[in-house]
Amino acid sequence: MSDTQPSSDTPPTHTYTYADAGVSIAAGNALVRAIAPLARSTRRPGADADLGGFGGLFDLKAAGFTDPLLVAANDGVGTKLKLAIEWDRHEGVGVDLVAMCANDLIVQGAEPLFFLDYYASGKLESGVAERVIASIAEGCRQAGCALIGGETAEMPGMYAPGDYDLAGFCVGAVERDRLLDGTQVSAGDVILGLGSSGVHSNGFSLVRRLAADKGWKLDRPALFDQDRLLIDALMAPTRIYVASLLPLLREGAIKGLAHITGGGLLENVPRVLPADTHATIDADAWPLPRLMAFLQAQGQIEPEEMARTFNTGIGMVVIVAEDRADHVAATLQAAGETVHRIGRVEQGARGCTVRGAAGTWSAKADWMATHAA
C-alpha cells in the first residue's frame, strides 16, 4: 500500500460551504424577494424596471428632461444607528438615509431621481433588514425618487452581533438653466428658515455621550414632552424638503438653498453664497425647540457650540429676493413647512454671522479648504 493513500481510520474530509463561514446566500435571496414590492412602490417616470439586474436603469427622457445636468450625493446615518440598534428603532433610519442625500440634491435645484442603498451586517437578520429597507422605501416616496437597486453585504467578523451600517447614493437632475450655484444670490436677499423635525442625523456622538454620562432613561417620557418617550423624540426621522421646494424651484422663485447638517447654520449657509456676500442671521427669530434646549441644558453646551453641532431647529435655509419672500413663505407654509424669516444677505466677505441675545458668532467661508478632497 502506498503511504500516500489515506488509512481506513482517517475521518472523512469535511466539505466546507459559505454557510459554514457565516454567510447565507439563501437568506440574501429571500430578502431580495421580500423587498421587491417595496422597490416597486417607489416607481416613477424613468424608472420602471424590477430589482435583480446587475445595475439599475433610469430613462432621463421619460422623466421629462431636455438638457439636464446630473447631480449625485451619498451619505450615511452616522451614530444615530447605534441608538436604532440598541432600542430596536429601525423604522426611521431609512428615511434619514434618503433625506441626507435627497436634501443635498435639492439645494442645487436638482430633482432626486433614483436611489441605491448599501446595507452591511455581520449576520443578516431579515426582520431587521426588511424594516430598514421599508423605511428607505418610505424615504424614497417622500423624496419622489425610485429605489432602483442596492447591495446587502453579510460580513461575519466585520461587525459585532446585531450591528449594521447603512450608506445611500442618490442621483438627481436639473435643467441646465435652473441650476442653483450661488451666482443668483445678492445683497438684499431675504433668508428664510424651514423648521427641522428634530436632531436629524447630525450630532449623535454628542447626544449618545450625554445619554451615557447623564444616565438618561430613554424609555421614559421626555422632560420637555410628557406625551413622548425620549428615545422617540431623539429618533424622529430627518425631514425631507423636496416636495415642498420643487414647485418653487420650477417657477424660479428661489435663489439659493442650504441644507443645515454638520456645522450648522454657521458653516453651511456660506457654501451657497457668492464671494462678495455675507449672511446675517437673527438667532432670536425662531424659538429654540424644546429638544434642543434640553440638549443644551443637559450638556451646558455653549451657544456657539450648539450652532455648529446641531441644526437648532432650522433644517433648510431658503434665500429669495425681497419681493418674492412673502409669496415663497406662504407657499411653503401651505405645503406644510414651518417658515421663519431669519436673516438677510449683505455685502461683505463670504461667511455667516449669527446674532442673538446669547451672543454673536461668525464663520468665514473657509469650508472649501477644509473640505477639499
Side-chain angles (χ1 to χ4, degrees):
M1 178 182 294
S2 169
D3 59 6
T4 61
Q5 294 179 326
S7 63
S8 59
D9 59 353
T10 300
T13 301
H14 178 70
T15 301
Y16 285 85
T17 67
Y18 213 0
D20 291 332
V23 179
S24 172
I25 294 176
N29 291 337
L31 178 61
V32 171
R33 290 192 296 270
I35 66 177
L38 298 173
R40 283 195 294 271
S41 74
T42 69
R43 283 180 169 174
R44 52 152 295 152
D48 295 319
D50 289 322
L51 294 179
F54 286 96
L57 302 176
F58 193 91
D59 185 343
L60 279 171
K61 186 175 181 181
F65 289 90
T66 56
D67 184 25
L69 294 171
L70 294 180
V71 185
N74 73 297
D75 213 329
V77 180
T79 59
K80 188 175 185 178
L81 284 181
K82 292 295 291 183
L83 287 179
I85 293 164
E86 292 165 6
W87 291 90
D88 193 34
R89 294 296 200 278
H90 308 286
E91 285 75 13
V93 293
V95 176
D96 287 308
L97 186 67
V98 176
M100 297 305 288
C101 297
N103 286 340
D104 277 355
L105 296 184
I106 198 70
V107 299
Q108 293 179 86
E111 176 184 352
L113 300 178
F114 58 86
F115 189 88
L116 298 98
D117 69 279
Y118 178 78
Y119 178 98
S121 64
K123 179 177 177 55
L124 185 60
E125 298 179 20
S126 59
V128 171
E130 287 179 28
R131 289 161 66 191
V132 171
I133 296 171
S135 177
I136 292 172
E138 171 58 25
C140 287
R141 288 190 292 270
Q142 291 183 25
C145 59
L147 178 60
I148 66 170
E151 174 69 11
T152 302
E154 194 172 23
M155 297 183 284
M158 184 67 73
Y159 298 91
D163 279 357
Y164 64 86
D165 200 6
L166 291 175
F169 310 85
C170 197
V171 173
V174 55
E175 296 291 1
R176 193 177 302 270
D177 61 354
R178 291 292 189 186
L179 177 68
L180 291 187
D181 57 4
T183 57
Q184 301 174 51
V185 177
S186 59
D189 288 342
V190 171
I191 301 175
L192 303 176
L194 306 188
S196 66
S197 55
V199 185
H200 285 187
S201 295
N202 295 101
F204 270 88
S205 293
L206 178 53
V207 169
R208 291 173 54 249
R209 175 66 180 270
L210 286 173
D213 289 355
K214 302 299 180 180
W216 292 350
K217 304 298 183 183
L218 299 184
D219 57 348
R220 295 184 182 176
L223 293 176
F224 52 86
D225 186 350
Q226 289 294 301
D227 295 326
R228 198 176 194 188
L229 299 182
L230 179 54
I231 183 61
D232 293 331
L234 294 173
M235 293 301 296
T238 304
R239 187 164 183 82
I240 296 176
Y241 299 95
V242 172
S244 300
L245 292 171
L246 266 179
L248 289 164
L249 288 169
R250 287 168 178 158
E251 70 176 71
I254 293 175
K255 301 177 74 172
L257 293 167
H259 183 200
I260 308 306
T261 54
L265 289 161
L266 281 171
E267 295 189 9
N268 284 289
V269 175
R271 299 172 67 174
V272 300
L273 298 179
D276 60 348
T277 58
H278 191 95
T280 300
I281 293 175
D282 178 6
D284 299 325
W286 73 96
L288 185 68
R290 289 179 295 172
L291 170 57
M292 296 293 173
F294 169 77
L295 294 173
Q296 184 172 18
Q298 287 282 299
Q300 297 182 341
I301 303 171
E302 294 293 335
E304 184 173 0
E305 181 70 15
M306 284 291 295
R308 291 185 185 274
T309 304
F310 300 111
N311 63 58
T312 63
I314 301 296
M316 182 70 71
V317 156
V318 184
I319 302 175
V320 296
E322 172 73 49
D323 61 356
R324 304 297 296 275
D326 289 343
H327 163 68
V328 170
T331 301
L332 289 169
Q333 287 172 339
E337 302 294 347
T338 301
V339 184
H340 306 280
R341 189 163 175 154
I342 65 173
R344 298 186 70 83
V345 177
E346 301 173 349
Q347 203 74 28
R350 182 165 56 184
C352 181
T353 298
V354 176
R355 295 192 179 97
T360 299
W361 315 281
S362 294
K364 295 181 180 179
D366 57 359
W367 64 269
M368 287 181 287
T370 59
H371 289 73

